Amino acid sequence: MDNKKTENFSEWYLELVQKAELMDYAPVQGTMAIRPRAYFVWEQIQRFLDCRFKEAGVQNAYFPMFVPESLLKKEAEHFAGFVPEVAWVTHGGNEQLGERLALRPTSETIMYTMYSKWVSSHRDLPLKLNQWCNIIRWDTKTLKPFLRTREFLWQEGHTAHATKQEADGQVKQALDWYRQVCEELLAIPVLQGKKTDAEKFPGADYTTTIEAIMPDGKALQCGTSHQLGQNFAKIFNIRYKTESGGEEYAWQTSWGVSTRLIGAVAMLHGDDRGLVLPPKIAPLQVVIIPIYKTEEDKALTTLASQRHAVALQAAGLSVLVDDSDRTPGWKFNEWELKGVPVRIEIGVKDLAKTGATIARRDTGFKEFYIDDAVLEKVKSLMDEIQENLLQKARLFAQEHTHAVENLEELREALEIRKGFAKAAWCGDPRCEEAVKEETGATIRLVPFDSKEGGKCVYCGKRGKETIYLAKSY
Amino acid sequence: MDNKKTENFSEWYLELVQKAELMDYAPVQGTMAIRPRAYFVWEQIQRFLDCRFKEAGVQNAYFPMFVPESLLKKEAEHFAGFVPEVAWVTHGGNEQLGERLALRPTSETIMYTMYSKWVSSHRDLPLKLNQWCNIIRWDTKTLKPFLRTREFLWQEGHTAHATKQEADGQVKQALDWYRQVCEELLAIPVLQGKKTDAEKFPGADYTTTIEAIMPDGKALQCGTSHQLGQNFAKIFNIRYKTESGGEEYAWQTSWGVSTRLIGAVAMLHGDDRGLVLPPKIAPLQVVIIPIYKTEEDKALTTLASQRHAVALQAAGLSVLVDDSDRTPGWKFNEWELKGVPVRIEIGVKDLAKTGATIARRDTGFKEFYIDDAVLEKVKSLMDEIQENLLQKARLFAQEHTHAVENLEELREALEIRKGFAKAAWCGDPRCEEAVKEETGATIRLVPFDSKEGGKCVYCGKRGKETIYLAKSY
């Protein structure tokens, strides 16, 4: 790594994701290949969420990526929110199309057109579908691998319910799945809450969100879950006959997380030596490196390495013995760059003491263990490292969340101390807008336990809501 | 079902896939939603193949769907093969793009542009990547749900090897995975072989294929695996340093199967009552229907149903007790339409004999079993039905494969007896072209055990190859 995380954060991130082979740039600006090491992380996210979705009765399906312009236009607020970023297909083969087609920037309109065909009775509800797919947003903001690209992968859950209450419950449940995947799998602590009306999803009644603090103090929106009310149902005519014979519009929700989370992992846990992966999402969890000078020592250390590898693999760990013809130093650097959680070194001295040296990627700490203790130590390190990364990130988040009472303190929090600013807000959108213009920070969320009190950070009037403000990706 | 498989085959299929809730038509012509019952089948195909890929060292990744026109043009034969079916993006937001972008009709050109950055040494080989993604082909041939749509899902494996021999081995291995998934999971027997030069993948040295006979006698290409030689490597500059210090172009393969297979399953196994699903891919494997007239009988039969359901679920089966307020007849029809492999009926008479009636979806056969025998019977039926569907399809394929010696016999085989015609071919592309023009049939494949001998089905000269001809989807 040429760049340092604390010195050139942005360059450090760009160097990291490419050198650690998480991604590489593709010919079209703003697009990239997600390489196997990163895609593996995505597969773990998929597995984690997919089984929770299924347990809750959410079924997977697939809808077309082509959305006719007229369809996208049906919900005016929704269309206005997405149209600046839409990529348009105008030709099929040599023929110009009669109507240009949007590549889905999100799938509400195409899915709900079909929901209206499938929902007619209370028996058809709840309808809970999810799709894993690619999304196109022709973004003009600063592009950044994983965090903002013109194509990305995500899942989008879309549900229809008989009552508002049931839909509210679904919104909450999805957000909780997202909190779980961030904290339990990716070791990313998050804040939860509601977006303000200015920041909510175009077409939603309200939007809930989870947000994480990145090392440069900026907020990263990690997942959102929307209560769509009956807004789309009324436009797309999703109605059902009630048990008593009446007719009602369905209540709907939508929610999603994307491959952006891979970028969050790299950015949050990485260091000046490269990637640091939580053990639960590391494609390779343990690398064993035999260290030798003579051919005889090579045979002995390699044999010992392989013996350990077999035992660790039998315990369900993903292990590689790196017996390639590189120097130990080269191998140390290489596997640190790639973020392998645990390295085992087996040299002649280790053999003499019938043991091995175990090094942690997260702390760099290394220590000798006798052979009999290696398996248990490595197994417990998987949990310890996972937990340590989460706690470290939690501590960082706490240290970078500053209570502020006025604009001056807010500026100081954002510019000097960095991170989230916790403040009171009078609830007036004009104050929200003014703060954004003057500081570049937005209200990231209103926490679920928001309280009245204090003074509005902008106008000084009585506070109606607690808010968290930050600059963001 | 309004249509009959043997009378209005094409209408029957269209009715089937929609009524059984496998798909529904989307607003853009040639696109459709893949509904949960069908997507479940796709997930089983994914699971089956994905673990085989990974065992063989193939890693999953994701590449952009946007391919600049200039890139797609690099391999002339490849471009000519795909350009009539390309959908073009010309605008991003309100801006016209400098160069129009193809939506991937296949990913050789975009992937190999990046492979050239990643391959430089023999250490980098073999490079074996796969992606699960959507594909766009703006087809103008007859569109048909699953079998030919303008967007579909597939996997595409793309490998680079040091030697031709290793690449040949990869081509064979991928085709064998495809044969396995068809026969072992989907109960679709297939023929294997090579495509002729006229029918091979644009840009490949040779193409191997698996083909199945559909009930109307037409062939369905179920999967292909291509030896790309060094054709793309030379154009995209994928070179590696050999161990001895020289420099060579890599040898490449690509291979894929798609959601078309879901259509094959529906078409091949379905009957006049609806879908028939092999147990291994049925989202619901057993439906239990309590049959009663009085409230008391309802309680008793429902309780017995639930007791059986618990035991079956504990054995790993997917089971539903349909205790909804519909008539038994309605439920029988409904679950037959949806293709549930086994139905258990529990009526008052069954209770009196302390047992249940078990009905097979594939044969319609039903029989009474005492309670203690139900679990074992249902478990064995899962295997029996799976096997029976495969054997039935195998028999059908055998009965619809006709040895022919001349054009007249070929015509009779295609038009009257239906199915594959097995013949000899002199190897002259002009005979191949003439047969296609005069009969509408193409050479589906040259079997791997092709032999010289016999007389060319068209010109009567000495046969150089065995061929299988058929009309196709």
Side-chain angles (χ1 to χ4, degrees):
Chain A
M1 296 287 295
D2 300 327
N3 293 288
K4 299 227 175 298
K5 189 170 184 179
T6 45
E7 289 172 14
N8 319 302
F9 181 71
S10 188
E11 293 78 5
W12 167 84
Y13 175 73
L14 296 179
E15 186 186 356
L16 173 70
V17 290
Q18 201 171 15
K19 278 207 179 149
E21 297 181 354
L22 295 181
M23 58 69 69
D24 205 351
Y25 296 98
V28 175
Q29 205 201 345
T31 69
M32 64 175 206
I34 300 176
R35 300 186 70 176
R37 286 169 202 287
Y39 199 86
F40 182 88
V41 175
W42 186 235
E43 287 180 316
Q44 305 322 303
I45 293 170
Q46 289 186 309
R47 190 169 308 173
F48 187 99
L49 290 174
D50 208 62
C51 72
R52 281 164 178 77
F53 294 169
K54 282 173 177 154
E55 272 169 31
V58 179
Q59 295 179 297
N60 284 333
Y62 186 78
F63 291 77
M65 82 168 323
F66 295 121
V67 185
E69 183 169 14
S70 55
L71 202 61
L72 196 63
K73 273 185 174 159
K74 276 194 160 184
E75 214 284 352
E77 192 185 321
H78 186 73
F79 183 70
F82 283 104
V83 73
E85 298 179 0
V86 168
W88 296 101
V89 176
T90 56
H91 289 74
N94 293 317
E95 301 290 313
Q96 177 151 13
L97 304 179
E99 178 182 12
R100 62 182 187 161
L101 305 175
L103 298 179
R104 61 177 162 230
T106 181
S107 298
E108 277 75 9
T109 57
I110 185 81
M111 287 174 76
Y112 303 163
T113 300
M114 315 208 66
Y115 278 26
S116 73
K117 297 204 268 177
W118 302 338
V119 173
S120 59
S121 154
H122 62 90
R123 294 173 195 265
D124 302 320
L125 297 177
L127 176 59
K128 303 199 272 189
L129 300 184
N130 174 66
Q131 70 177 357
W132 296 94
C133 65
N134 57 342
I135 283 292
I136 307 298
R137 293 185 186 169
W138 210 261
D139 223 308
T140 48
K141 289 181 215 153
T142 311
L143 299 164
K144 200 161 220 137
F146 296 108
L147 301 192
R148 195 176 295 280
T149 53
R150 286 177 170 168
E151 179 181 9
F152 55 89
L153 303 180
W154 82 353
Q155 62 65 221
E156 49 183 325
H158 293 264
T159 67
H161 305 267
T163 63
K164 176 177 186 306
Q165 192 183 12
E166 203 183 297
D168 281 336
Q170 180 63 62
V171 171
K172 216 182 174 84
Q173 181 175 50
L175 198 75
D176 197 53
W177 287 328
Y178 296 161
R179 182 195 57 73
Q180 286 174 37
V181 78
C182 283
E183 299 191 340
E184 295 172 18
L185 189 74
L186 308 175
I188 299 174
V190 291
L191 276 177
Q192 302 176 72
K194 268 191 192 182
K195 289 284 184 191
T196 62
D197 281 350
E199 299 285 333
K200 73 180 184 190
F201 180 76
D205 272 3
Y206 66 82
T207 286
T208 63
T209 182
I210 51 171
E211 308 262 333
I213 302 187
M214 291 297 106
D216 59 351
K218 280 192 188 168
L220 186 76
Q221 181 176 299
C222 288
T224 48
S225 179
H226 317 293
Q227 164 64 274
L228 303 178
Q230 296 177 312
N231 306 335
F232 286 90
K234 284 178 181 166
I235 289 163
F236 290 92
N237 197 27
I238 305 174
R239 277 184 299 181
Y240 69 95
K241 286 221 167 56
T242 63
E243 281 189 72
S244 56
E247 207 168 37
E248 295 283 351
Y249 287 107
W251 293 82
Q252 294 187 267
T253 80
S254 69
W255 25 278
V257 293
S258 76
T259 41
R260 148 176 278 206
L261 289 177
I262 303 168
V265 166
M267 191 175 260
L268 189 59
H269 302 307
D271 63 22
D272 290 347
R273 289 178 295 159
L275 199 63
V276 177
L277 284 176
K280 285 185 187 174
I281 55 169
L284 187 62
Q285 295 171 309
V286 182
V287 63
I288 308 182
I289 299 177
I291 301 169
Y292 49 81
K293 282 183 183 148
T294 69
E295 280 301 308
E296 193 194 339
D297 290 346
K298 176 177 178 177
L300 291 169
T301 54
T302 305
L303 187 69
S305 297
Q306 279 154 354
R307 219 173 44 228
H308 281 296
V310 168
L312 292 164
Q313 278 159 350
L317 294 163
S318 153
V319 186
L320 176 84
V321 175
D322 186 351
D323 56 1
S324 64
D325 55 358
R326 309 279 201 176
T327 67
W330 189 94
K331 293 177 189 176
F332 286 17
N333 285 338
E334 174 68 8
W335 297 116
E336 284 176 352
L337 175 62
K338 302 281 170 62
V340 180
V342 166
R343 177 180 74 231
I344 302 180
E345 307 164 12
I346 301 184
V348 181
K349 282 182 194 165
D350 298 297
L351 283 188
K353 294 187 283 176
T354 61
T357 300
I358 300 179
R360 292 170 67 141
R361 175 66 183 89
D362 60 338
T363 59
F365 186 75
K366 62 189 211 180
E367 203 169 3
F368 174 84
Y369 289 85
I370 57 163
D371 282 343
D372 283 353
V374 167
L375 175 62
E376 281 313 308
K377 180 61 195 175
V378 172
K379 276 163 64 179
S380 76
L381 272 180
M382 292 296 120
D383 296 332
E384 284 172 45
I385 295 172
Q386 183 83 29
E387 185 60 23
N388 176 50
L389 291 175
L390 178 63
Q391 290 313 331
K392 225 169 98 180
R394 250 194 230 291
L395 192 64
F396 180 88
Q398 280 162 13
E399 286 170 351
H400 289 79
T401 304
H402 318 292
V404 302
E405 300 200 335
N406 54 49
L407 203 57
E408 198 182 336
E409 287 181 19
L410 174 61
R411 279 214 180 87
E412 195 211 342
L414 294 170
E415 300 304 328
I416 298 162
R417 303 164 72 199
K418 307 282 187 191
F420 281 122
K422 185 179 179 183
W425 175 43
C426 64
D428 190 330
R430 285 172 299 184
C431 287
E432 182 181 13
E433 182 59 27
V435 165
K436 187 175 170 184
E437 264 178 39
E438 294 184 31
T439 68
T442 49
I443 301 179
R444 302 312 303 163
L445 57 81
V446 177
F448 292 126
D449 61 356
S450 168
K451 290 192 187 83
E452 286 194 42
K455 287 178 178 172
C456 176
V457 69
Y458 191 77
C459 68
K461 285 187 196 147
R462 183 176 163 71
K464 283 195 186 149
E465 299 279 14
T466 309
I467 53 172
Y468 286 85
L469 297 136
K471 297 190 180 186
S472 73
Y473 278 98
Chain B
M1 296 286 296
D2 300 327
N3 293 286
K4 299 227 176 296
K5 189 171 185 178
T6 46
E7 289 171 14
N8 318 303
F9 181 71
S10 187
E11 293 79 3
W12 168 85
Y13 175 74
L14 296 179
E15 186 185 358
L16 174 70
V17 291
Q18 201 172 15
K19 278 206 179 149
E21 296 181 356
L22 296 180
M23 57 73 65
D24 206 350
Y25 297 98
V28 176
Q29 204 201 347
T31 69
M32 62 176 208
I34 300 176
R35 299 185 70 176
R37 287 169 200 285
Y39 200 86
F40 182 89
V41 175
W42 184 236
E43 288 180 315
Q44 305 321 304
I45 293 171
Q46 289 186 308
R47 191 169 307 175
F48 187 99
L49 290 174
D50 209 62
C51 71
R52 281 163 178 79
F53 294 169
K54 282 174 177 154
E55 272 169 30
V58 179
Q59 296 179 297
N60 284 333
Y62 186 77
F63 291 78
M65 81 168 324
F66 295 121
V67 185
E69 184 169 16
S70 55
L71 201 61
L72 196 64
K73 273 185 174 159
K74 276 194 161 185
E75 214 285 353
E77 192 185 320
H78 185 74
F79 183 70
F82 283 105
V83 72
E85 299 179 359
V86 168
W88 296 102
V89 176
T90 55
H91 290 74
N94 293 317
E95 300 291 312
Q96 177 152 11
L97 303 179
E99 177 183 12
R100 61 182 188 162
L101 305 176
L103 298 179
R104 61 178 162 231
T106 182
S107 299
E108 279 74 10
T109 57
I110 186 81
M111 286 174 77
Y112 302 163
T113 300
M114 314 209 65
Y115 278 27
S116 74
K117 296 204 267 178
W118 302 339
V119 173
S120 59
S121 153
H122 62 91
R123 295 172 196 263
D124 302 320
L125 297 177
L127 176 60
K128 304 199 272 189
L129 301 184
N130 175 68
Q131 71 177 356
W132 296 94
C133 65
N134 57 342
I135 284 292
I136 307 297
R137 294 185 187 169
W138 210 261
D139 224 308
T140 48
K141 289 181 214 152
T142 312
L143 299 165
K144 200 161 220 135
F146 295 108
L147 302 192
R148 195 175 295 281
T149 52
R150 287 177 170 168
E151 180 181 9
F152 55 90
L153 304 180
W154 83 353
Q155 61 66 221
E156 48 183 324
H158 293 264
T159 66
H161 306 266
T163 65
K164 176 177 186 306
Q165 191 183 13
E166 203 183 296
D168 282 336
Q170 180 65 63
V171 171
K172 217 182 174 81
Q173 182 176 48
L175 198 74
D176 198 53
W177 287 329
Y178 296 161
R179 181 196 58 74
Q180 286 173 38
V181 78
C182 283
E183 298 189 343
E184 295 171 20
L185 188 74
L186 308 175
I188 300 174
V190 292
L191 276 177
Q192 301 177 72
K194 267 191 192 182
K195 289 286 186 192
T196 62
D197 281 351
E199 299 286 333
K200 73 179 185 191
F201 180 76
D205 272 3
Y206 66 83
T207 286
T208 63
T209 182
I210 52 170
E211 307 264 332
I213 302 187
M214 292 296 105
D216 59 351
K218 280 192 190 168
L220 186 76
Q221 181 177 301
C222 288
T224 49
S225 179
H226 316 293
Q227 164 63 275
L228 303 177
Q230 296 177 312
N231 306 335
F232 286 90
K234 285 177 182 167
I235 289 163
F236 289 93
N237 196 28
I238 306 174
R239 278 183 298 180
Y240 69 96
K241 286 221 168 57
T242 62
E243 281 191 69
S244 57
E247 207 167 38
E248 296 282 351
Y249 287 107
W251 293 84
Q252 293 187 266
T253 80
S254 68
W255 24 277
V257 294
S258 76
T259 40
R260 149 176 280 206
L261 290 177
I262 303 167
V265 166
M267 190 175 261
L268 189 60
H269 302 307
D271 63 23
D272 291 346
R273 288 177 296 159
L275 198 62
V276 177
L277 284 176
K280 285 186 186 174
I281 55 170
L284 186 61
Q285 295 172 308
V286 183
V287 63
I288 308 181
I289 300 177
I291 301 169
Y292 49 81
K293 282 183 182 150
T294 68
E295 278 301 309
E296 193 193 342
D297 290 346
K298 176 177 178 176
L300 290 170
T301 54
T302 304
L303 186 69
S305 298
Q306 278 154 353
R307 220 175 42 229
H308 281 295
V310 168
L312 291 165
Q313 277 158 351
L317 295 163
S318 152
V319 186
L320 176 83
V321 175
D322 186 352
D323 56 0
S324 65
D325 56 356
R326 309 280 199 174
T327 67
W330 189 94
K331 293 177 188 175
F332 286 16
N333 285 338
E334 174 68 8
W335 297 115
E336 284 175 352
L337 175 62
K338 302 279 170 65
V340 180
V342 166
R343 178 180 73 231
I344 302 180
E345 306 164 11
I346 300 184
V348 181
K349 282 183 193 165
D350 298 296
L351 282 188
K353 294 188 283 176
T354 62
T357 299
I358 301 180
R360 292 170 66 141
R361 175 65 182 90
D362 59 339
T363 59
F365 186 76
K366 61 189 213 180
E367 203 169 4
F368 175 84
Y369 289 85
I370 58 163
D371 281 342
D372 283 352
V374 167
L375 175 61
E376 282 313 309
K377 180 61 195 173
V378 173
K379 275 163 64 181
S380 74
L381 271 180
M382 292 296 120
D383 295 332
E384 284 172 47
I385 295 172
Q386 183 83 29
E387 185 60 23
N388 176 51
L389 291 174
L390 178 63
Q391 291 312 332
K392 224 169 99 180
R394 251 193 230 291
L395 191 65
F396 181 87
Q398 281 161 13
E399 286 170 350
H400 290 79
T401 303
H402 317 292
V404 302
E405 300 201 335
N406 53 48
L407 203 58
E408 198 182 335
E409 286 181 20
L410 174 61
R411 279 214 181 86
E412 196 211 344
L414 295 170
E415 300 303 330
I416 298 162
R417 301 164 73 200
K418 306 282 187 190
F420 280 122
K422 185 180 179 182
W425 176 42
C426 66
D428 190 331
R430 286 170 299 183
C431 287
E432 182 182 12
E433 182 59 28
V435 164
K436 187 176 170 182
E437 263 177 38
E438 293 183 30
T439 68
T442 49
I443 300 179
R444 300 314 301 163
L445 57 81
V446 177
F448 292 127
D449 61 356
S450 168
K451 291 192 186 81
E452 286 193 40
K455 288 178 178 172
C456 175
V457 68
Y458 191 76
C459 69
K461 286 187 196 146
R462 184 175 162 72
K464 284 196 187 145
E465 299 279 14
T466 309
I467 54 172
Y468 286 86
L469 296 135
K471 298 190 180 185
S472 72
Y473 278 98

